Amino acid sequence: MPFSKAVKYIKFFIPSFLRKRIRLLALSGDEVHCPICRGNYLTFLPFGLEKRPNALCPNCGSLERHRFLWLCLNKKQLLSGRMRMLHIAPEAMFFAKFRNNNDIEYHPIDKSPENYPEGTRQMDLTDLQYEANSFDGIICSHVLEHIPDDKKAMEELFRVLKPGGWAALQVPLDEKRGQTYEDWSITTPEEREKAFGQWDHVRVYGRDFGDRLRGVGFVVTVESSEREFGGDERFRFGLGKESIFSCEKKPTPQRKPKPFLDVFIFL
Ligand SMILES: [Zn+2]
């Protein structure tokens, strides 16, 4: 029997909770640690079109980028204190953590909420239904590469972020490219998969991604898993080579009137 057919049978006959129990039993060990579900395992599972080793948490389903994001948010203490958070395309392994945190007023949104946990509100990132300067923190991971007008989406993220707030942005990045690759003549899912690596991606971001964010007003710092963690830690947390574009909206400096100029009114 071919492997894929055997997997189909297993999925059909064994309920998912039981498959998860078996998976966790088979992968019990202490070689790797998931900081999100706080489990220790023999290894993370391979994942992706071209299977990346040590990628998928067998318990919470987190990938390298989720674990790096979680470690960075906690290291910088960005989740401490009361805050209003916007989360676009809310990942299931974060959803309950944020929603159950009494200090976080949590706003999970997506254009297709049916693909995300219940409670996700339907909203287009290029037309956010929120007031300007209304969020302390924003998480937007692997979303912008799906949006044709990504500049409008970036402008919207900048608009709703409070001055002094932070936004953690991640995209698939091809560091070999200086310039982001777009080609609007490529429209079919097959062509897009071939050109951009996934059927529903509309571009491949290059090293200019940070400049695109700066172009709408953000102050951008790039966090890199290779800079933040040594080789052993990257293996233990299953981090791979990941980047976070850490965006800030600087408060506008208040221009104070110069009172001594009043004297000229009377001259
Ligand atoms: Zn996990």
Side-chain angles (χ1 to χ4, degrees):
M1 183 188 295
F3 181 70
S4 59
K5 207 167 181 183
V7 170
K8 257 187 191 169
Y9 273 110
I10 290 169
K11 280 193 171 176
F12 186 79
F13 287 110
I14 306 177
S16 67
F17 79 92
L18 200 56
R19 275 186 270 134
K20 187 170 176 178
R21 289 284 294 273
I22 296 167
R23 191 165 65 233
L24 290 176
L25 205 63
L27 293 171
S28 61
D30 194 25
E31 294 294 307
V32 299
H33 174 75
C34 175
I36 300 175
C37 66
R38 297 181 178 178
N40 294 329
Y41 311 103
L42 188 62
T43 179
F44 293 115
L45 293 166
F47 187 81
L49 285 175
E50 291 173 22
K51 294 266 183 282
R52 307 186 303 275
N54 210 35
L56 177 78
C57 174
N59 184 34
C60 71
S62 66
L63 296 171
E64 303 96 318
R65 64 187 163 97
H66 303 125
R67 293 187 291 272
F68 182 49
L69 178 60
W70 184 248
L71 288 166
C72 283
L73 291 175
N74 284 285
K75 192 174 177 183
K76 294 170 110 182
Q77 298 187 319
L78 293 177
L79 301 174
S80 57
R82 290 196 67 78
M83 66 179 302
R84 191 165 187 251
M85 181 198 282
L86 178 65
H87 190 179
I88 299 103
E91 295 91 344
M93 77 287 299
F94 293 140
F95 189 93
K97 281 180 184 289
F98 295 148
R99 194 178 53 179
N100 297 336
N101 184 330
N102 290 331
D103 284 333
I104 296 178
E105 186 191 315
Y106 185 45
H107 293 263
I109 63 159
D110 196 79
K111 197 173 181 181
S112 306
E114 65 278 10
N115 298 331
Y116 293 92
E118 198 180 336
T120 302
R121 190 176 165 197
Q122 202 283 330
M123 207 179 293
D124 188 335
L125 181 51
T126 61
D127 183 23
L128 291 176
Q129 305 301 302
Y130 294 110
E131 291 189 0
N133 308 320
S134 57
F135 287 98
D136 302 284
I138 297 176
I139 295 176
C140 182
S141 178
H142 285 226
V143 175
L144 291 169
E145 68 275 14
H146 298 265
I147 299 180
D149 192 354
D150 67 334
K151 183 166 183 283
K152 184 76 175 79
M154 291 175 193
E155 286 169 348
E156 280 292 82
L157 291 171
F158 184 77
R159 182 182 67 80
V160 300
L161 186 64
K162 283 182 189 174
W166 57 266
L169 270 59
Q170 292 174 297
V171 291
L173 200 67
D174 182 352
E175 289 187 351
K176 292 192 287 296
R177 292 178 190 275
Q179 293 268 311
T180 292
Y181 169 49
E182 290 173 319
D183 182 344
W184 300 109
S185 70
I186 297 172
T187 53
T188 67
E190 296 78 23
E191 286 175 331
R192 282 179 169 169
E193 181 162 344
K194 204 171 164 189
F196 310 129
Q198 194 169 304
W199 69 271
D200 56 351
H201 288 184
V202 296
R203 67 180 63 79
V204 179
Y205 284 109
R207 295 193 303 277
D208 60 342
F209 179 62
D211 290 335
R212 288 179 163 229
L213 294 167
R214 289 181 191 99
V216 302
F218 283 120
V219 174
V220 182
T221 313
V222 184
E223 319 280 352
S224 146
S225 60
E226 290 183 310
R227 273 202 306 272
E228 295 287 325
F229 296 96
D232 289 348
E233 280 181 311
R234 286 205 305 279
F235 176 80
R236 179 146 177 82
F237 294 133
L239 297 183
K241 192 177 177 184
E242 297 294 322
S243 298
I244 297 170
F245 288 76
S246 186
C247 300
E248 291 174 84
K249 182 173 178 176
K250 294 289 183 195
T252 315
Q254 294 292 314
R255 286 169 185 266
K256 288 185 182 163
K258 295 183 172 58
F260 69 87
L261 289 176
D262 290 356
V263 73
F264 291 110
I265 296 169
F266 305 105
L267 288 178

